[in-house]
Amino acid sequence: HVFLSSFLGCAIIRPPRDGGIRYRGLTQEQILPVDYEIEYICRGNRVIVGPKVRKCLPNGTWTDITQHSRCRKYSLLYLQPTRLTSLPLFCHSLRGRNITHCTKLGKWDSPKPVCLCKKKLYIGALFPMSGGWPGGQACLPSAQMALDLVNNRTDILPDYELELIYYDSMCDPGESTKLLYDLLYTEPIKTVLMPGCSSVSTLVAEAARMWNLIVLSYGSSSPALSNRNRFPTFFRTHPSATLHNPTRVRLFQKWKWTKIATIQQTTEVFTSTLDDLEQRVKEAGIEISVRQSFLTDPAVAVKNLKRQDARIIVGLFYETEARKVFCEVFKEKLYGKKYVWFLIGWYADNWFKIKDPSINCTIENMTEAVEGHVTTEIVMLNPETVRGASNLTSQEFLGALMNRLGGKNPEETGGFQEAPLAYDAVWALALALNKTVAPLKAKGRRLEDFNYNNHDITAEIYRALNTSSFEGVSGHVVFDAQGSRMAMTLIEQLQGGSYKKIGYYDSSQKNLSWFGNDVWIVIYVTIYLVPLTLDLLLRLLFL
């Protein structure tokens, strides 16, 4: 029976005969708020027939009010004859008939069915669907695709089902603070947290230790996140931005450059990356002769590069700032045969052709200024045709993802490049959780026993993730001692307005694979033979 309330919420609901109601933190004398859930429980050898959980609706009623819930005995079902003529059987997933009839011989007319109920494990996730990096637009469908495959596998977590509870973080730490609170203080308990964006992951990973939660990020590159003292339970399938630096140093050595310059946008991720680069070039005997930075307007910084005669320049900034920088580079003529620029490789392929109201350069100006620059980019899609843990090749994964995206243009879908990392993050988590089942069972524990005070279950998940090693659609998945993904680096050069692959570098093996197709701007000079007078000689000497 249900009683309606004129207040905002629902009045108490009567329990079934031979049963009771489990209230979550509230007493029966209170008006229960909207979205509040109650659960029926039965005494003795009885089970609920009908809805087991009811939820308070905004109109003051409970869900499924037309369906009765009763407590019925189940032990008699297979132990002795009963006066029941038939008994319905309820289960999340049932192998066998869902109803059995009592025959005149006092026996049931069908074999005992098997209940295939899976216990749920919840992942609390933050996907940036908007904001500075709307990576959730492709990473969320990718993660959901991985979850579907994992949950259908009989050899991975056969007794469990993974479920994603997610919010749009907007890549904003302020917004994410509220969302993190909601994830932690509302049921169900989350076993793992999965954020994206470096600034959001920093917030989540620093707080997670207080709840004994493992954090696994699919889209965070900040070098600061490699600090194990500050972020003791953090892992990421996106490599640290510092992974670019060994590649840059190796290229400097290949081309025998001993002096470089840098220009960076003043954000934490680029400052940390540059600090790491400074240490690495110093060890290699290379000097950073000029170091410039800017917050929003790079004009002065670019002028200083020109004034201080910078030639080999490493640029660290986001894509929107890259357009501002190279508009100034065009104005200062800081390009051509005397200059080599090194940029980040995760910009859109046509980034310099995108119309931008914040600059006053034409597409032709930009195309001229950027020609010949070199980029380094983390390999995020396995270049080999291999079937890994998910039984998909990287190309099959892309095809399945495009179907999920409904034909959206990849260049206009945030996080498309990082989508393989989100996919592999779910697989890394599933394989790690699967690995913990046996050792936890030996200790008399189960994954579903996890709560925010379980140090031992967290420790087992940590150990399993820390020893991850499998083939994913993004390549071989393995974490270093700081929980960061180890991966290869792709080297490209802009040639004739489009990017060409010129090599790969494996920093773990210190192996440079060079294609030998790099192209440099050459100026052809015609020499005229003329009589050499003293006046002409002096003029040539002081040109």
Side-chain angles (χ1 to χ4, degrees), residues 92 118-124 143-153 156-165 188-192 194 216 423-434 436-437 447-448 461:
H92 179 265
K118 284 191 171 187
K119 296 171 281 291
K120 286 194 175 184
L121 300 175
Y122 297 92
I123 304 168
Q144 290 171 325
M145 187 164 68
L147 278 176
D148 291 344
L149 292 173
V150 166
N151 288 332
N152 284 325
R153 288 276 286 262
I156 300 174
L157 297 172
D159 298 325
Y160 298 94
E161 179 182 348
L162 298 180
E163 184 172 319
L164 202 63
I165 298 175
I189 287 176
K190 317 307 182 294
T191 308
V192 173
M194 189 177 287
L216 178 56
Y423 182 85
D424 283 347
V426 172
W427 278 97
L429 175 60
L431 293 171
L433 292 175
N434 189 61
T436 66
V437 173
L447 280 169
E448 63 266 34
I461 299 173

Side-chain angles (χ1 to χ4, degrees), residues 384-388 390-398 473:
E384 304 293 331
T385 307
V386 294
R387 294 188 183 277
S390 68
N391 201 32
L392 287 182
T393 67
S394 55
Q395 293 305 312
E396 287 170 345
F397 160 77
L398 285 182
V473 297

Side-chain angles (χ1 to χ4, degrees), residues 25-97:
L26 299 173
T27 64
Q28 295 186 19
E29 286 73 32
Q30 292 175 294
I31 296 297
L32 303 179
V34 174
D35 290 335
Y36 188 83
E37 291 183 347
I38 58 96
E39 180 182 359
Y40 293 125
I41 53 177
C42 294
R43 291 190 288 273
N45 295 324
R46 293 176 173 84
V47 293
I48 287 290
V49 177
K52 186 177 181 181
V53 176
R54 295 189 191 275
K55 186 176 183 179
C56 180
L57 299 174
N59 63 3
T61 67
W62 295 93
T63 53
D64 302 320
I65 59 173
T66 59
Q67 299 180 42
H68 294 286
S69 298
R70 297 183 177 89
C71 289
R72 285 184 175 173
K73 288 186 178 182
Y74 69 89
S75 61
L76 296 178
L77 183 57
Y78 300 107
L79 296 179
Q80 61 186 44
T82 174
R83 291 183 180 178
L84 291 173
T85 58
S86 65
L87 185 68
L89 304 172
F90 296 89
C91 185
H92 179 265
S93 180
L94 196 68
R95 181 182 294 160
R97 285 172 53 182

Side-chain angles (χ1 to χ4, degrees), residues 73-292:
K73 288 186 178 182
Y74 69 89
S75 61
L76 296 178
L77 183 57
Y78 300 107
L79 296 179
Q80 61 186 44
T82 174
R83 291 183 180 178
L84 291 173
T85 58
S86 65
L87 185 68
L89 304 172
F90 296 89
C91 185
H92 179 265
S93 180
L94 196 68
R95 181 182 294 160
R97 285 172 53 182
N98 67 344
I99 189 166
T100 185
H101 299 275
C102 184
T103 68
K104 293 180 180 179
L105 299 176
K107 295 183 179 181
W108 297 104
D109 68 348
S110 61
K112 178 180 179 181
V114 178
C115 191
L116 303 176
C117 293
K118 284 191 171 187
K119 296 171 281 291
K120 286 194 175 184
L121 300 175
Y122 297 92
I123 304 168
L126 296 174
F127 285 94
M129 309 304 290
S130 55
W133 178 67
Q137 294 174 9
C139 288
L140 175 57
S142 179
Q144 290 171 325
M145 187 164 68
L147 278 176
D148 291 344
L149 292 173
V150 166
N151 288 332
N152 284 325
R153 288 276 286 262
T154 57
D155 58 331
I156 300 174
L157 297 172
D159 298 325
Y160 298 94
E161 179 182 348
L162 298 180
E163 184 172 319
L164 202 63
I165 298 175
Y166 61 90
Y167 298 113
D168 176 11
S169 71
M170 298 188 289
C171 207
D172 180 354
E175 177 68 17
S176 298
T177 301
K178 173 184 175 296
L179 299 177
L180 178 62
Y181 183 91
D182 289 344
L183 284 172
L184 294 173
Y185 284 97
T186 57
E187 291 189 355
I189 287 176
K190 317 307 182 294
T191 308
V192 173
L193 296 177
M194 189 177 287
C197 278
S198 292
S199 57
V200 172
S201 293
T202 300
L203 164 78
V204 173
E206 201 156 25
R209 63 194 300 174
M210 307 302 294
W211 279 268
N212 293 303
L213 277 164
I214 297 293
V215 179
L216 178 56
S217 176
Y218 55 88
S220 305
S221 63
S222 172
L225 288 163
S226 294
N227 186 334
R228 263 286 174 254
N229 293 325
R230 187 177 171 194
F231 310 108
T233 62
F234 181 76
F235 292 87
R236 52 179 162 183
T237 52
H238 192 303
S240 167
T242 56
L243 197 64
H244 294 264
N245 289 337
T247 307
R248 291 170 178 139
V249 173
R250 180 66 185 86
L251 292 177
F252 300 156
Q253 292 172 327
K254 173 181 171 58
W255 289 316
K256 296 180 172 54
W257 292 329
T258 58
K259 188 181 293 186
I260 67 169
T262 65
I263 176 173
Q264 64 148 127
Q265 183 182 354
T266 51
T267 62
E268 189 276 333
V269 60
F270 298 128
T271 300
S272 299
T273 303
L274 196 49
D275 289 343
D276 178 80
L277 177 63
E278 194 168 46
Q279 181 63 34
R280 290 179 186 273
V281 296
K282 184 178 180 181
E283 292 171 359
I286 299 169
E287 176 191 355
I288 297 183
S289 59
V290 184
R291 185 169 178 167
Q292 292 293 316

Side-chain angles (χ1 to χ4, degrees), residues 442-487:
K443 298 177 181 178
R445 306 301 296 270
R446 303 169 302 172
L447 280 169
E448 63 266 34
D449 295 333
F450 177 80
N451 60 50
Y452 301 139
N453 296 313
N454 282 134
H455 294 273
D456 55 342
I457 296 179
T458 301
E460 285 296 340
I461 299 173
Y462 179 93
R463 274 191 286 270
L465 265 177
N466 204 36
T467 55
S468 294
S469 180
F470 67 94
E471 287 299 324
V473 297
S474 63
H476 190 66
V477 179
V478 62
F479 302 106
D480 64 18
Q482 287 73 44
S484 294
R485 171 77 178 277
M486 298 171 68

Side-chain angles (χ1 to χ4, degrees), residues 302 305-306 310 313 326 328-336 339 341 369:
V302 173
L305 288 175
K306 181 67 178 288
I313 308 166
F326 274 87
E328 297 301 322
V329 165
F330 176 80
K331 295 173 185 176
E332 296 296 327
K333 303 302 176 189
L334 202 66
Y335 64 93
Y339 305 95
W341 280 86

